[in-house]
Amino acid sequence: MQYLFTALFILGFIAFLGFLVLMILSMRKGNRLPIKYIFFTTACFAIASIGLYGMLTLSSNSSQSGEDQPPSSQIELSGLHMTTDEFQNKFNGAVGKYRLNGLSITRLDIQDSSEQGSGAFEYVFNDELRLGGVLNADESVQEIKLYGTGDTSEPMGGIFLTAIATLILTTNSEYTYNDAQDVIQDIGLLGRDVNQSDFNGATVRNGLEYRFNIQDHDHSTFEITVAK
């Protein structure tokens, strides 16, 4: 309908101007103004007015419809705002920058889940360290988890702690390694030996929650999610 009203306005307005010019020329020559000029000029003006009114009405309705919709920032899927490829590149970039040997991701194992409209990914570093994540319907990363196995009665360190720091760097592109250590300290992993079976520490940075917990004497989990 928008095109129809636009065409009516343009054609009606052009014809109106044409007949208006003819009327003016006829009057300047001193001739009697033909009735048909008056009729056609009036008709063209009415057609142009109808077209303009229709254009304005449709434009107003479209604007109101847009106001009823939630802002784009509200309908975005929650998550870390990166694809799996971007996640892998940022992770490996941090590994290379800080020479964190033994942590590079060669290829994420993507698992589709068409029934739920989402998916997941996984990467196994070794027998004691595994990375997992959940994807949104648009295949962006929603959350990340790092799973560690081993005796939690021993002080935490080594590759697991380094992997945690790398994930923090991956999700905060402006962070340095010292910033990542600050996050780890806020969680409570550096101020004490984490050797309790019920440890659960967390901190929030830039809208993301970083949480570490020990589920039992053999399993630990580090998780990154959108803060609620």
Side-chain angles (χ1 to χ4, degrees):
M1 289 297 293
Q2 182 72 29
Y3 295 107
L4 176 60
F5 284 120
T6 302
L8 285 176
F9 172 72
I10 293 174
L11 295 177
F13 186 71
I14 292 175
F16 167 75
L17 290 178
F19 282 111
L20 185 62
V21 170
L22 290 176
M23 289 176 60
I24 294 173
L25 292 176
S26 179
M27 292 174 63
R28 293 184 64 180
K29 290 179 180 180
N31 298 331
R32 185 176 179 181
L33 193 62
I35 299 299
K36 62 179 181 180
Y37 282 3
I38 299 176
F39 173 78
F40 286 125
T41 302
T42 304
C44 292
F45 179 79
I47 292 173
S49 299
I50 293 172
L52 180 61
Y53 176 78
M55 290 168 55
L56 294 176
T57 301
L58 289 177
S59 177
S60 176
N61 291 338
S62 177
S63 298
Q64 292 178 359
S65 177
E67 291 174 357
D68 292 337
Q69 297 293 329
S72 58
S73 60
Q74 294 181 2
I75 62 177
E76 287 181 357
L77 297 173
S78 63
L80 308 185
H81 305 295
M82 67 177 81
T83 65
T84 52
D85 287 340
E86 291 171 336
F87 167 75
Q88 180 174 330
N89 291 336
K90 290 181 179 180
F91 186 93
N92 288 338
V95 169
K97 181 177 180 179
Y98 295 99
R99 299 180 182 180
L100 308 175
N101 298 328
L103 279 177
S104 294
I105 298 175
T106 54
R107 183 180 179 182
L108 291 173
D109 180 17
I110 309 297
Q111 303 167 353
D112 295 327
S113 179
S114 57
E115 294 181 357
Q116 299 179 356
S118 60
F121 63 90
E122 183 181 50
Y123 187 79
V124 178
F125 293 100
N126 53 48
D127 293 339
E128 297 182 348
L129 186 63
R130 177 172 62 89
L131 175 70
V134 177
L135 301 176
N136 282 313
D138 63 350
E139 298 184 354
S140 63
V141 179
Q142 180 179 356
E143 62 180 53
I144 301 170
K145 287 186 178 181
L146 190 66
Y147 303 93
T149 58
D151 188 357
T152 57
S153 64
E154 296 293 331
M156 194 179 109
I159 192 171
F160 193 11
L161 197 59
T162 304
I164 290 176
T166 307
L167 286 176
I168 295 171
L169 292 170
T170 302
T171 52
N172 284 280
S173 58
E174 298 180 356
Y175 272 19
T176 65
Y177 199 83
N178 288 335
D179 294 323
Q181 288 184 318
D182 288 341
V183 176
I184 293 173
Q185 186 169 1
D186 286 346
I187 295 174
L189 300 182
L190 298 182
R192 58 190 293 185
D193 292 340
V194 182
N195 55 10
Q196 301 181 44
S197 60
D198 60 348
F199 180 85
N200 187 5
T203 187
V204 175
R205 294 288 186 91
N206 298 326
L208 297 178
E209 181 179 82
Y210 300 91
R211 180 176 296 276
F212 179 84
N213 66 78
I214 297 176
Q215 299 169 339
D216 53 47
H217 292 289
D218 298 315
H219 296 86
S220 304
T221 303
F222 175 71
E223 181 179 10
I224 304 176
T225 59
V226 176
K228 297 180 180 179

